[in-house]
Amino acid sequence: MSYAIPFNKPYMAGRELAYIADSVSSGQISGDGPYTKRCHAYLEESLGVPKALLTTNCTHALEMAALLLDTQPGDEVIVPSFTFVSTVNAFVLRGAHPVFIDVRPDTLNLDETQLERLITPRTRAVLPVHYAGVGCAMDVISEIAAQHDLMIIEDNAHGLFGRYQGQYLGTFGALATQSFHETKNFTCGEGGALLINDPALVERAEIIREKGTNRSRFFRGMVDKYTWVDVGSSYLPSDVLAAYLWAQFEAKEEIQARRQRLWKRYHSELAGWAEMHGVRRPVVPPDCEQAYHMYYLLLPSLAARSALIAHLKANGILAVFHYLPLHLSEMGVKYGGQPGDCPVTEDVSDRLLRLPFYNSMTEDEQTRVIEALYAFEDW
Ligand SMILES: *Cc1c(COP(=O)(O)O)cnc(C)c1O
């Protein structure tokens, strides 16, 4: 069914179609054309990362990270149970064994106080996910990772332009991954990026992304022919998609201002209502500048969430939930996941609700959502 107020709407900042037309008429629509280069330079300069590479999606950026880690069968990676399936699948594809960590009850980010006890001699990497674009405790996580020689790979799909203690999310780990999927702050439909903060990984990342060849070095005139030098695949998006994404990057200030306005209005207008009904609103610790990726609520019970979703649906409003605990999924159980392993994840995954949240959401649309919440009585 279609909803008067959907959960998400694809957004155009204004120049997307003009840039796509320009890309097509320029004669190069394959990967690493002029728009891709602009997007790379923009990410590198605005975040201060040594290297950014666009990828076909965030899942593929995570797969590149698993290859760059040289993941071997039996290696362990520590990953929150409360995340999107790609965070873990990319490593499982290379034979890694996922070790699921619970999340903190406030930010729903990886609980750094539990990290140390999950580390074994086989642990290779830890994967912080900056849930809702609010930073994980990267100071603590970085210190523990350094002590145990673990690579940090940030899944920053929610967190582009968020900061932790003043530092951009995506710049803490040796590697970080971004998503430009339709539901993220900046989009080109399907897209992603790998941010490379460890300069020692740059050359191999370029090779892996270019089918295991040294094609990038060839184009820079550093080798006189290009050939197969390593494992790899094809992770480059078409320059047509980069043209769409470039128009969104150009509108960064406007996009983030719109999202900030929507987030703050939900947060203030739902404050009294939430308190009255035992609903918890998002928590943003003082050392986090969030990326305004989503607005979620924690309802008092699964029954209240189901009833509220039905009530909103009857009012033409689509609200959704995620993530089912990975450690209790069909695959997670095969890796030894059991009920009780991650109690916070198990609890919040039954109660979390995401409200409609998109760049083009109007004041009237948001009023309608807020009034529908006020009108809900079936607690
Ligand atoms: C969206 C998302 C992904 C996957 O992104 P794709 O670009 O669709 O592959 C990975 N991790 C998290 C946390 C996400 O929200």
Side-chain angles (χ1 to χ4, degrees):
M1 89 173 249
S2 81
Y3 291 82
I5 303 181
F7 171 68
N8 182 62
K9 259 189 209 178
Y11 179 69
M12 289 222 274
R15 291 154 108 165
E16 284 83 352
L17 298 180
Y19 290 160
I20 286 174
D22 178 54
S23 168
V24 174
S25 60
S26 80
Q28 185 186 351
I29 58 171
S30 57
D32 279 345
Y35 284 101
T36 304
K37 292 198 169 101
R38 264 172 231 172
C39 291
H40 287 172
Y42 176 75
L43 288 170
E44 288 160 9
E45 283 157 26
S46 56
L47 300 172
V49 298
K51 190 78 190 170
L53 294 170
L54 291 193
T55 58
T56 25
N57 50 57
C58 181
T59 303
H60 284 164
L62 287 158
E63 288 181 19
M64 285 184 67
L67 286 165
L68 285 164
L69 178 68
D70 249 327
T71 312
Q72 299 298 319
D75 284 352
E76 293 176 1
V77 295
I78 299 177
V79 54
S81 176
F82 192 66
T83 184
F84 189 64
V85 62
S86 295
T87 319
V88 55
N89 233 349
F91 295 83
V92 166
L93 263 176
R94 309 247 64 81
H97 186 100
V99 173
F100 294 106
I101 186 166
D102 206 358
V103 292
R104 294 162 42 140
D106 58 350
T107 56
L108 313 186
N109 279 331
L110 174 160
D111 183 350
E112 69 281 3
T113 65
Q114 302 197 29
L115 187 52
E116 214 138 22
R117 77 172 172 84
L118 295 174
I119 295 171
T120 76
R122 312 199 76 159
T123 311
R124 300 282 318 284
V126 54
L127 280 135
V129 178
H130 304 298
Y131 184 72
V134 176
C136 297
M138 292 313 299
D139 49 351
V140 178
I141 295 167
S142 301
E143 201 181 308
I144 296 172
Q147 273 166 17
H148 296 269
D149 199 22
L150 310 181
M151 189 187 279
I152 296 176
I153 299 160
E154 300 171 71
D155 181 340
N156 195 32
H158 300 179
L160 186 56
F161 303 119
R163 296 181 201 234
Y164 179 73
Q165 295 181 345
Q167 183 179 337
Y168 279 119
L169 304 181
T171 67
F172 290 89
L175 299 167
T177 64
Q178 303 295 150
S179 175
F180 305 119
H181 183 263
E182 177 184 298
T183 51
K184 304 304 198 292
N185 294 25
F186 302 87
T187 182
C188 56
E190 298 276 356
L194 181 69
L195 307 181
I196 306 163
N197 295 302
D198 178 353
L201 297 173
V202 169
E203 188 182 332
R204 186 150 188 252
E206 289 180 335
I207 289 169
I208 285 170
R209 182 166 163 273
E210 275 278 18
K211 301 101 186 162
T213 71
N214 54 0
R215 193 164 186 262
S216 303
R217 284 168 73 77
F218 173 74
F219 277 122
R220 285 202 295 268
M222 294 163 75
V223 286
D224 60 8
K225 48 183 171 301
Y226 88 83
T227 183
W228 184 25
V229 296
D230 202 338
V231 295
S233 188
S234 184
Y235 293 118
L236 297 73
S238 159
D239 217 46
V240 176
L241 288 173
Y244 192 109
L245 185 61
W246 174 244
Q248 304 248 312
F249 283 167
E250 273 192 335
K252 180 224 168 192
E253 296 302 329
E254 192 202 325
I255 287 174
Q256 289 302 84
R258 282 169 177 265
R259 299 185 79 91
Q260 182 181 43
R261 202 179 321 125
L262 292 168
W263 196 98
K264 290 196 158 160
R265 181 164 175 228
Y266 272 141
H267 205 59
S268 63
E269 296 199 16
L270 293 176
W273 170 87
E275 192 169 1
M276 189 176 356
H277 297 292
V279 173
R280 183 162 86 51
R281 296 172 306 146
V283 173
V284 183
D287 48 3
C288 294
E289 288 164 62
Q290 63 154 321
Y292 299 102
H293 174 57
M294 71 168 91
Y295 197 85
Y296 69 86
L297 298 168
L298 284 175
L299 279 296
S301 66
L302 174 59
R305 181 177 75 179
S306 304
L308 181 53
I309 290 173
H311 165 81
L312 291 172
K313 185 174 174 180
N315 284 275
I317 297 164
L318 178 59
V320 303
F321 59 84
H322 71 177
Y323 299 112
L324 299 180
L326 286 177
H327 70 287
L328 298 181
S329 66
E330 229 171 278
M331 276 293 279
V333 167
K334 287 188 192 159
Y335 286 104
Q338 288 183 17
D341 285 353
C342 299
V344 179
T345 299
E346 289 165 35
D347 173 43
V348 299
S349 103
D350 276 347
R351 300 192 289 113
L352 187 137
L353 185 68
R354 300 174 67 185
L355 298 181
F357 196 85
Y358 43 90
N359 297 340
S360 62
M361 189 174 210
T362 64
E363 209 175 316
D364 283 351
E365 286 173 330
Q366 196 177 21
T367 302
R368 222 175 123 175
V369 177
I370 292 167
E371 286 179 352
L373 291 170
Y374 288 167
F376 178 64
E377 288 175 342
D378 196 8
W379 298 95

